[in-house]
Amino acid sequence: MILVTGGTGLVGGHLLLRLAGTTPVRALYRNKANIDKTRKLFIRHGRQTAFESIEWVHGDIIDIPALEEAFAGVTYVYHCAANVSFDPADEIILRKTNIEGTANMVNCALAFGVEKFCHVSSIAALGDPLVSGGVITEETDWNPEVNHSDYQITKYGAEMEVWRAWQEGLNVVIVNPGLIFGGGYGDQGSGAVLKSVKKGQMFYTTGTCGIVAVEDVVEIMVRLMQSDINGARYTVIAENINYKDLLDTISVGMGKKGPSIEASKLMLAVGWRIDWLLSKLLHRKRQLTRHMAKSAYSTNPFDNSKIVNELDYKFKDMRPYLKELAAEYLTE
């Protein structure tokens, strides 16, 4: 039996699409209404029968009794569940879900004799290059003196729990995806990028980011779990792309005009401070934080050669993929 957490999210949903119907799969969920997103994903791919084969178990990764029920008879675990937020006000829930939740998962995996555990981390948990523009690899050291966001800190902390379990005898692999694009979950992750372009994104920055298709993330996870690889982590990106190019490509797919105004560092510095003030006055979530403003101009490239070489893997060409995804987004 395979256990998947985060099965109502982008990565977990597409992972279930990849696994269901070929092997017994159990998926953990918190809100039953969210299962409908994954059901629609299966319907879109003509795999309704496969969806019905999934065993859904109500629970939460911070609820140990519920996890004990979910882990019964499980041999392999894909831990995709996480809280993603760049709002400093969410620090407590980020720590609770990402660090404590992952600790619960690996502790249960050890207690129930799980054979192998795959943890979905993020490039946000990779290290800090010594110089601006330096290449980031799996071996780049994490610098605790750098001012990281709460999300970065909690994803790094989650990895520490996985490595601790590995030292205690659990077979593990970790994937560190970049910005993940995929269909079916337009309100999550990269869906915010698609949404902004659809609404008419006017601004861009000159920073870069690592991007990847969700199908590649899922395929790599499955191959790593089926391999003899143990105690390793991998940067999972198809390519590094500047934000202007990314937004222009999506705009073409939507038949819209691309952004034409560069948001300067000064503009972003003023912007995140105004956003902070508005969040206090209006009691709303932050839309632009200091870390978001800083990352918008980061040009540190990520190196994917480790996963490419070890699995002889060829990533999807992201330009046509993004255009097709953008066109589909308009119809969702």
Side-chain angles (χ1 to χ4, degrees), residues 82-100:
N83 188 291
V84 181
S85 174
F86 299 97
D87 189 339
D90 291 332
E91 177 186 2
I92 294 177
I93 187 62
L94 282 167
R95 290 182 178 274
K96 188 78 173 176
T97 302
N98 296 349
I99 299 179
E100 182 180 325

Side-chain angles (χ1 to χ4, degrees), residues 201-222:
Q201 178 69 24
M202 298 172 56
F203 299 94
Y204 69 91
T205 65
T206 57
T208 62
C209 63
I211 59 174
V212 64
V214 68
E215 292 86 355
D216 281 332
V217 177
V218 165
E219 183 62 27
I220 286 171
M221 291 166 62
V222 172

Side-chain angles (χ1 to χ4, degrees), residues 1 26 67-74 112:
M1 175 68 75
R26 180 180 297 154
L67 284 182
E68 291 178 346
E69 178 184 350
F71 268 85
V74 167
F112 282 83

Side-chain angles (χ1 to χ4, degrees), residues 176-203:
N176 295 80
L179 182 58
I180 306 172
F181 285 89
Y185 301 84
D187 59 337
Q188 300 178 17
S190 60
V193 180
L194 298 169
K195 182 178 180 180
S196 69
V197 174
K198 182 180 179 181
K199 293 172 64 177
Q201 178 69 24
M202 298 172 56
F203 299 94

Side-chain angles (χ1 to χ4, degrees), residues 27-32 56-60 63 66-67 69-70:
L28 196 68
Y29 75 93
R30 289 188 302 165
N31 187 337
K32 192 172 184 178
W56 291 94
V57 176
H58 182 257
D60 195 311
D63 180 1
L67 284 182
E69 178 184 350

